[in-house]
Amino acid sequence: MPPSAPTPSDLLAAALRREPAAPLVTSYDDATGERVELSGTTLANWVAKTANLLQDEFDVGPGSTVAVALPVHWQTAAVLLGVWSCGAAVLDTAAEDDGRLDAADVVLAAQDRLAPLEEQDLPELMGLSLHPLGLGMTGYTGPARDFALEVRAHGDVFAPYAPPDPAATGLLAGGLELTLGGLAASAGELAGRLGIAAGDRLLVDDRTAAEAGPVAWLLAPLAAGASLVLCRHADPAALGSRAAAERVTATLGLRIEGFRELGRPA
């Protein structure tokens, strides 16, 4: 793949150039009543802090593998893009399975998934509370480092020691392996097939997003110039009014009366 081929970090940079102050990721959790909205600038700050944490504290860079045991969430978006900004590979797997993390240099996991991971001989383990305001873990006394507490100490601008190589591995998920350039190319191709248009505001629930994978729920909207409304534990009765309130233009994996469903003929 040519060195000029785009990578996921280039997709985020393009979103920043388009509309840095506009909402890029809006995240709901109907189980808790949370709503978090991140502009392109705010998401990029989280991505930069995450990348700086990974690079400075764990020497993550080209050739590194970072396992991500996280649900679909706005912080997961920042973690994934942070890993890719370092030029490293994301290992997306059933992390609690013995032996699946042998290749990982760092493991980032939701707090409620830490217990089985603590029993494995992992080189580095970090826990995420997934608190809506990005606060640290509460009631946790295990060995995992607290992502939220450590990431805030790092800078809002990231400069990789080595630029991401489009030919380097970017995603390992089951039997699938994609390069960093392949991730960006697949995202653009998928956006075209689904019919995601520039300026679209895309609503997707966490179940659909988890099944579709990060190329579909995160990178394809970025590649198309769209923004995202993520719904965790989605209440079906609330989706219609939410789509209207958020000025949604299309849905992924959800049929809501009056809104375009991606991937289906008009």
Side-chain angles (χ1 to χ4, degrees):
M1 186 165 292
S4 58
T7 67
S9 56
D10 295 316
L11 301 183
L12 178 60
L16 276 177
R17 289 193 295 270
R18 284 190 300 269
E19 290 185 284
L24 186 58
V25 177
T26 304
S27 182
Y28 284 86
D29 190 330
D30 287 341
T32 62
E34 299 169 15
R35 180 186 182 277
V36 178
E37 184 168 279
L38 287 82
S39 67
T41 297
T42 303
L43 177 61
N45 285 348
W46 274 91
V47 170
K49 285 178 177 293
T50 301
N52 280 315
L53 168 63
L54 292 172
Q55 180 174 261
D56 296 345
E57 300 293 330
F58 303 106
D59 294 322
V60 169
S64 300
T65 300
V66 179
V68 177
L70 296 169
V72 174
H73 191 275
W74 68 265
Q75 289 185 39
T76 305
V79 166
L80 292 172
L81 290 166
V83 175
W84 291 325
S85 296
C86 292
V90 167
L91 174 62
D92 185 0
T93 184
E96 291 83 352
D97 294 345
D98 289 341
R100 298 299 296 275
L101 300 177
D102 291 347
D105 299 291
V106 188
V107 179
L108 286 86
Q111 182 176 348
D112 61 4
R113 299 179 69 177
L114 288 175
L117 297 176
E118 293 166 1
E119 300 172 3
Q120 301 184 39
D121 186 21
L122 300 174
E124 299 288 356
L125 178 62
M126 297 201 79
L128 283 80
S129 69
L130 302 179
H131 188 281
L133 299 180
L135 302 182
M137 296 186 289
T138 57
Y140 178 74
T141 57
R145 296 167 66 168
D146 194 321
F147 171 84
L149 298 184
E150 298 203 16
V151 77
R152 290 184 179 279
H154 291 269
D156 294 342
V157 177
F158 176 65
Y161 295 152
D165 179 359
T169 301
L171 178 66
L172 298 161
L176 174 69
E177 181 173 338
L178 287 173
T179 64
L180 291 168
L183 283 168
S186 296
E189 189 273 336
L190 181 60
R193 282 197 290 115
L194 290 174
I196 307 175
D200 264 340
R201 190 142 167 81
L202 172 61
L203 186 147
V204 59
D205 70 310
D206 58 342
R207 181 179 301 178
T208 299
E211 291 175 353
V215 173
W217 73 262
L218 176 59
L219 295 182
L222 278 179
S227 61
L228 189 63
V229 179
L230 284 176
C231 298
R232 295 188 72 207
H233 309 115
D235 175 4
L239 290 178
S241 59
R242 176 168 304 153
E246 293 290 350
R247 299 183 180 181
V248 163
T249 61
T251 67
L252 178 62
L254 294 169
R255 184 168 293 179
I256 303 175
E257 185 68 28
F259 293 90
R260 180 171 111 252
E261 184 180 358
L262 294 176
R264 289 185 179 272

